[in-house]
Amino acid sequence: MNLWVCKCSTDVGDALASARAITADSNRGIYSFWWAFDGQYLLYAQDKNGDENQHIFAVPVAGGEARDLTPFPGARASLQALSKNFPGSALVNINQRDPRFADLYRIELDTGELTLLQENDGLHGFITGEDFKAHFAVAPEADGGALIKVADGASWKPWLRISTEDVSNTWPQGMSADGRWLYMLDSRGRDTAALVRFDLAAGPASAELIAEHPRADINGVWVDVNTKEPLAWTATYERREIHVLDEVLRKDVDFLEQKNLGQWGIASRTQDNQTWILVSMSDVSPASYYLYDRANAVVQKLYDCRPALAGAPLARMQSMTLTARDGLDLVCYLTLPVFADVADIPLKSTAPLPLVLHVHGGPQARDFWGYDPNHQWLANRGYAVLSVNFRASTGFGKSFIKAGDGQWGARMDDDLVDAVHWAIDHGIADPERVCIMGASYGGYATLWGMTAHADLYACGVDIVGPANLETLAESIPPYWEAAKTQLYRMIGDAGTAEGRSLMKARSPVYYAASIQKPLLIGQGANDPRVKQAESDQMVAALKASNVPVSYVLFPDEGHGFYRPANQIKFNAITEQFLAKFLGGRFEPVLDSEVHGNTAIIVEDSFQ
């Protein structure tokens, strides 16, 4: 997981032969990076051992040491913008002055010189233009809504209010390069987030609908590389759709759709927009990258991200929409082991199988169709794998999100249970061998499910899941300050007796004695969101009730496990746990695969 550069050439073999690494990280890897417009630097973000205090680094493309551009202990930085108009600079947000709110700075890449452009006085953030100025800001409102403010000299004035019900999927996307238009995803006056634009000379009353989808929020906008105006948009209900807005792009989309690339997208473009790097994947193919020469209509493969899996017998992922007990539609994804998948009949297994219900985090996030390493791993071990976009998941409109307010451990849990019963009723799941597993909110759902449905789940795997909603609310990171009202809307308002009562009633830690089946817990010691205390108190409550549990702690991880040796170690522990209590197969782990892992087995009741 390091950064490499190679020569840009239409001869792909020649280009790849020139590839060389310009970073040498051997710890957590590099997961996000950007080209500076001067072509001299690559920028990347990285934290320390999962503390989420990311810094922005610059590394010379020609070679040399990476420099920390935001070297402030305990501070958190993010990249705001890059612009061709300022090729040697970047805009960054840093919360060094106030850990709750990140100020806007301009930074010179050669020297690291920082210039404060805008202090953040309680704002979510800023909307900047190609002129490297902050034109708009988004401020939280006391009721959980938001107020978009417009720059008025050295101050801000109100411009557009976003209500509480719209705030989760109404947000500015950016400005056109000429400063005439502001583009937003906007659910005001409708259920799903549409693409709209505002004429900035005319003000907020000038909102013009560009595109909308009847069942899904628009979740991607492809913009012109120079004008920043939208050319196409994407939305995903069960499967992703591409919708062209500008005919200049239609020829490319039609051509690429015929190339059998799978689900493709644009990863990068040259400034003249004539050469694209495409990223493509499918449910049975990890990501591959391609070079696309627009003028000559030529597509050449660059590389596969997981070449060892090329041609492997991977399992297809099927999509479907289930109906919850109260009539709400739930988009779900099912992966069956290859040996049990009846190819000609959708959603059909040759026999009831052990099932892993894999619950996504967030909860304001969602599962998608495509290559999912957890689905493939578990299906390979002989399990059916089911993922459910339960209420509160994003992408399905504001009413679907709102349906999750106050429903942790209630109707959100009902959705998961309904999906499991669907799998049992359709002969997919063995009712005696169902596991619930997930990270973050998925970990909470695991803990709650194990306490509330002791007879339904044969075992559970909780990864960095909250156990006590009261202590979760008390320990949220300071940089969540502007958004904490939205959290309270979901779990209960910590500022009211009624809210605190709801939090306590929905906290699994108070029902630990109800757990009757094996539970595995994984936690990162540096997690700033779901602190180690969440897992510690759950384990203590289980031990106090003589409930067996296994607890694995990683001292150099945070909200999830990123170091490869740690990932593999916890996966190895998990699949042995599942094999013991669900009956699937497991692969013995080699010492060389987990060399350098830092797992601490705090509790192990199942040896």
Side-chain angles (χ1 to χ4, degrees), residues 530-543:
V530 179
K531 293 187 179 296
Q532 180 184 334
E534 293 296 313
S535 292
D536 286 352
Q537 62 184 300
M538 188 68 193
V539 171
L542 290 165
K543 291 179 66 180

Side-chain angles (χ1 to χ4, degrees), residues 137-269:
V138 182
E141 297 272 74
D143 66 354
L147 179 65
I148 299 179
K149 299 181 178 182
V150 65
D152 182 20
S155 61
W156 300 97
K157 65 179 182 181
W159 193 74
L160 182 70
R161 189 179 188 280
I162 304 169
S163 70
T164 304
E165 68 173 359
D166 287 305
V167 74
S168 293
N169 50 3
T170 298
W171 207 258
Q173 294 297 290
M175 298 171 60
S176 60
D178 61 9
R180 179 182 178 186
W181 305 103
L182 174 69
Y183 294 96
M184 282 182 54
L185 296 182
D186 190 347
S187 66
R188 293 173 308 131
R190 57 178 59 83
D191 189 45
T192 60
L195 177 62
V196 302
R197 71 176 181 179
F198 297 85
D199 184 333
L200 296 183
S206 66
E208 176 188 352
L209 177 65
I210 297 175
E212 64 179 332
H213 191 283
R215 297 196 298 171
D217 296 324
I218 292 177
N219 62 356
V221 182
W222 298 356
V223 302
D224 184 273
V225 71
N226 290 305
T227 69
K228 307 302 180 184
E229 296 182 6
L231 302 176
W233 57 275
T234 63
T236 304
Y237 189 71
E238 286 190 9
R239 305 285 184 96
R240 191 204 64 176
E241 305 167 12
I242 301 174
H243 297 268
V244 174
L245 291 170
D246 193 314
E247 291 303 312
V248 71
L249 202 67
R250 189 171 300 280
K251 180 179 68 173
D252 300 290
V253 172
D254 290 346
F255 170 71
L256 293 171
E257 289 285 85
Q258 296 171 7
K259 298 299 288 184
N260 296 320
L261 298 176
Q263 187 169 285
W264 61 274
I266 303 170
S268 183
R269 294 171 287 179

Side-chain angles (χ1 to χ4, degrees), residues 335-384:
T335 302
L336 296 171
V338 173
F339 66 80
D341 189 356
V342 181
D344 297 331
I345 305 176
L347 311 174
K348 177 69 174 177
S349 176
T350 56
L353 301 169
L355 173 77
V356 176
L357 176 67
H358 198 274
V359 187
H360 71 68
Q364 289 194 1
R366 65 160 292 171
D367 289 305
F368 291 91
W369 179 90
Y371 178 78
D372 185 308
N374 285 311
H375 273 239
Q376 293 296 339
W377 163 49
L378 294 167
N380 181 271
R381 300 319 194 230
Y383 306 111

Side-chain angles (χ1 to χ4, degrees), residues 248-564:
V248 71
L249 202 67
R250 189 171 300 280
K251 180 179 68 173
D252 300 290
V253 172
D254 290 346
F255 170 71
L256 293 171
E257 289 285 85
Q258 296 171 7
K259 298 299 288 184
N260 296 320
L261 298 176
Q263 187 169 285
W264 61 274
I266 303 170
S268 183
R269 294 171 287 179
T270 52
Q271 202 60 43
D272 64 6
N273 205 23
Q274 291 306 299
T275 304
W276 294 357
I277 292 178
L278 306 175
V279 59
S280 178
M281 50 80 85
S282 75
D283 55 337
V284 294
S285 175
S288 298
Y289 283 80
Y290 295 82
L291 194 68
Y292 172 42
D293 178 350
R294 294 183 72 202
N296 298 304
V298 175
V299 177
Q300 300 181 79
K301 178 179 273 194
L302 288 171
Y303 61 90
D304 296 320
C305 285
R306 298 290 303 275
L309 294 181
L314 299 180
R316 67 169 174 162
M317 175 185 281
Q318 300 180 69
S319 59
M320 71 285 195
T321 301
L322 308 181
T323 302
R325 65 188 68 178
D326 64 353
L328 200 63
D329 287 338
L330 309 174
V331 171
C332 303
Y333 300 99
L334 174 71
T335 302
L336 296 171
V338 173
F339 66 80
D341 189 356
V342 181
D344 297 331
I345 305 176
L347 311 174
K348 177 69 174 177
S349 176
T350 56
L353 301 169
L355 173 77
V356 176
L357 176 67
H358 198 274
V359 187
H360 71 68
Q364 289 194 1
R366 65 160 292 171
D367 289 305
F368 291 91
W369 179 90
Y371 178 78
D372 185 308
N374 285 311
H375 273 239
Q376 293 296 339
W377 163 49
L378 294 167
N380 181 271
R381 300 319 194 230
Y383 306 111
V385 191
L386 180 62
S387 291
V388 183
N389 283 308
F390 47 86
R391 69 194 67 210
S393 300
T394 52
F396 305 100
K398 65 188 181 188
S399 60
F400 195 83
I401 294 175
K402 184 176 176 57
D405 287 356
Q407 297 302 316
W408 286 42
R411 290 187 176 180
M412 291 163 69
D413 176 66
D414 291 344
D415 293 344
L416 301 175
V417 172
D418 290 349
V420 171
H421 284 304
W422 171 89
I424 293 170
D425 293 343
H426 283 74
I428 291 168
D430 178 346
E432 302 299 321
R433 294 189 293 166
V434 177
C435 172
I436 182 170
M437 172 180 176
S440 194
Y441 175 82
Y444 166 85
T446 296
L447 296 176
W448 184 265
M450 294 289 288
T451 64
H453 310 287
D455 294 331
L456 181 62
Y457 299 114
C459 60
V461 181
D462 153 39
I463 305 166
V464 297
N468 185 333
L469 299 186
E470 297 169 288
T471 54
L472 174 73
E474 291 169 357
S475 62
I476 60 174
Y479 47 84
W480 280 18
E481 180 68 23
K484 69 180 182 182
T485 305
Q486 295 180 47
L487 176 66
Y488 290 166
R489 197 174 74 238
M490 291 188 287
I491 67 173
D493 187 344
T496 69
E498 181 183 10
R500 292 190 296 273
S501 176
L502 178 63
M503 288 180 183
K504 185 170 184 177
R506 302 287 173 77
S507 294
V509 69
Y510 297 114
Y511 309 98
S514 299
I515 294 180
Q516 299 177 15
K517 304 293 175 58
L519 176 63
L520 169 64
I521 295 177
Q523 178 69 46
N526 300 319
D527 192 337
R529 304 189 213 180
V530 179
K531 293 187 179 296
Q532 180 184 334
E534 293 296 313
S535 292
D536 286 352
Q537 62 184 300
M538 188 68 193
V539 171
L542 290 165
K543 291 179 66 180
S545 299
N546 296 314
V547 177
V549 62
S550 285
Y551 179 24
V552 185
L553 179 68
F554 292 91
D556 56 352
E557 296 285 5
H559 198 60
F561 313 138
Y562 282 78
R563 289 190 58 233

